[in-house]
Amino acid sequence: MLVLGIESSCDETACAIVEDGKKIISNVVATQIPFHQIYKGVVPEIASRKHAEWILPVVRQALNEASMKLEDVDAIAATNRPGLMGSLLVGLTFAKTLAWSVNKPFYAVNHMLGHMYAAHLENDIQYPYLGLLVSGGHSIIAKVNGFDDLEILGTTIDDSVGEAFDKVSKYYDLGYPGGVIIDKLAKNGDPKAFTFPVPKMDKGDHRYDVSFSGLKTAVIHQADFFLNEGYEKTVENIAASFQETACKTLVSRLLRAVKDTGLTTVVAGGGVAANSRLRAMLAEHSELKCIFPPLKLCGDNGAMIAGVAYHFLKRGETSPLNTTACARIPQFKRGLANLEAFGRR
Ligand code: KG4
Ligand code: ZN
């Protein structure tokens, strides 16, 4: 079964064709980074206009690279939440129209289900496992029982980890998007230069939760206070120390979840899963089997959306053509039935 997946939730216009939820036939990602760079962040209005301009050529290119016509695919899918409203609407409306025009089933896919699925592309992974979803908008630790069955154990109580990377980069004028730049700068810095605080949320309800707003404030406004003797306040040292603390925060909560659930397979997803220090830190835990998507599938792409849709298709489900976009997933809270957080309603 061939699924064409469209992704337009933020600043990438993307389309992919995936066979049986596994094999990537084509995967086109048109990044808008150069258009947002001068503003040091994503400008929603520019993003939606670029999507509107690029969606048709990107879909055409994905079909061309697969040597296919629209009629050859079995289903059409698009991200419908969460994300920037105007951006989501472009991909979603385009996908629904395509599906209607060729009379193929349509699937609206939750972007975070997509990120969780990315590592499954071209790779066999058994459920259940612990999922680490780390992106520009989310930081989630979940017990993953199936492609659409995630029990949220912990989440951020304030900023997402990706947002902290981006804000630190913006403040120190390092460039946009921040994550990849900080990752690179950190390689020439010393993570021991600053001892930034790791949030302590040890009790009860917050056992697996993370927080990045305190770290962000410390790095931006109080860096001098955390500088250790004998070290210089260079951007490389700031990057390395910040990254070390951010990764430690995530890994410490994840290890708690490993201990409590007995699950030793960890699957990561989302833009921050590309981080080299996060990968190295988890690799130090030989008791764990840590699976990361390849770098090109950590960020936003259409293949992960097509992959998820294939499983809905296999279950005989479809999404109605009046499915709407939704900027946020307010139900992303611990303990809620996964259907509320991840279902396609
Ligand atoms: O998944 P994604 O492409 O979009 C969202 O769904 O948000 O994630 C984007 C986030 C940005 O915050 C970006 O700075 C971060 O992922 N990111 C990284 C790295 N590459 C991208 N963060 C840390 N290290 C990286 N190498
Ligand atoms: Zn994403």
Side-chain angles (χ1 to χ4, degrees):
M1 292 287 216
L2 293 162
V3 180
L4 182 146
I6 290 175
E7 157 61 41
S8 72
S9 66
C10 191
D11 58 348
E12 329 277 1
T13 316
C15 178
I17 294 166
V18 174
E19 188 174 1
D20 295 340
K22 277 267 168 284
K23 189 170 176 220
I24 299 174
I25 311 289
S26 66
N27 186 22
V28 178
V29 180
T31 182
Q32 304 180 355
I33 287 173
F35 298 90
H36 300 285
Q37 228 151 19
I38 48 167
Y39 304 101
K40 302 177 187 176
V42 179
V43 182
E45 184 61 24
I46 295 178
S48 49
R49 285 176 190 223
K50 281 285 151 206
H51 286 307
E53 198 182 308
W54 288 355
I55 188 81
L56 180 60
V58 164
V59 171
R60 275 208 176 116
Q61 192 179 331
L63 285 165
N64 285 345
E65 287 183 14
S67 305
M68 281 176 196
K69 291 196 188 66
L70 193 54
E71 290 73 16
D72 299 329
V73 303
D74 298 291
I76 292 162
T79 303
N80 78 319
R81 65 186 170 147
L84 301 171
M85 196 47 147
S87 295
L88 285 168
L89 281 171
V90 175
L92 177 69
T93 309
F94 193 88
K96 288 196 291 189
T97 311
L98 276 189
W100 172 79
S101 70
V102 286
N103 199 22
K104 305 274 180 185
F106 163 72
Y107 294 89
V109 174
N110 181 313
H111 185 74
M112 298 315 289
L113 280 190
H115 276 308
M116 196 69 264
Y117 191 80
H120 290 257
L121 292 159
E122 319 261 357
N123 200 359
D124 284 323
I125 304 171
Q126 301 305 312
Y127 296 104
Y129 56 73
L130 284 174
L132 178 65
L133 280 173
V134 278
S135 68
H138 296 90
S139 309
I140 295 168
I141 294 173
K143 181 172 176 244
V144 184
N145 304 309
F147 81 96
D148 69 337
D149 184 357
L150 277 73
E151 291 171 43
I152 312 264
L153 301 176
T155 181
T156 181
I157 60 161
D158 39 55
D159 297 345
S160 76
V161 59
E163 196 178 335
F165 270 91
D166 294 338
K167 293 276 162 64
V168 167
S169 179
K170 184 173 179 178
Y171 179 81
Y172 286 102
D173 212 9
L174 307 177
Y176 161 84
V180 67
I181 292 166
I182 288 182
D183 194 346
K184 213 165 153 194
L185 279 173
K187 292 192 200 309
N188 296 316
D190 191 329
K192 292 199 184 75
F194 296 81
T195 308
F196 292 123
V198 178
K200 285 201 179 45
M201 294 184 297
D202 295 340
K203 297 212 179 97
D205 242 19
H206 290 302
R207 204 168 156 66
Y208 313 107
D209 282 346
V210 288
S211 159
F212 293 98
S213 131
L215 172 61
K216 182 187 75 182
T217 306
V219 178
I220 291 178
H221 298 298
Q222 302 157 343
D224 295 333
F225 182 74
F226 296 103
L227 182 63
N228 292 318
E229 246 182 76
Y231 288 96
E232 269 184 72
K233 188 186 174 186
T234 62
V235 284
E236 289 82 2
N237 282 342
I238 291 172
S241 303
F242 159 72
Q243 178 176 269
E244 190 70 14
T245 313
C247 294
K248 254 190 209 160
T249 303
L250 290 169
V251 172
S252 69
R253 302 300 132 145
L254 191 63
L255 292 178
R256 274 186 190 171
V258 168
K259 196 162 161 241
D260 294 353
T261 60
L263 293 170
T264 54
T265 301
V266 172
V267 179
V272 185
N275 186 266
S276 63
R277 185 61 190 124
L278 181 64
R279 288 172 175 239
M281 212 181 263
L282 278 171
E284 286 162 17
H285 291 272
S286 53
E287 76 280 16
L288 301 180
K289 183 179 176 196
C290 295
I291 305 168
F292 284 83
L295 289 183
K296 68 173 185 346
L297 296 176
C298 286
D300 294 345
N301 65 84
M304 65 187 195
I305 303 305
V308 169
Y310 166 74
H311 291 275
F312 287 124
L313 171 70
K314 220 169 66 171
R315 265 198 336 219
E317 297 175 15
T318 57
S319 301
L321 285 180
N322 62 1
T323 304
T324 55
C326 189
R328 287 181 166 270
I329 314 180
Q331 305 93 329
F332 256 139
K333 295 219 181 89
R334 273 170 284 118
L336 276 172
N338 65 74
L339 238 192
E340 280 179 73
F342 287 105
R344 288 169 300 123
R345 281 177 290 154

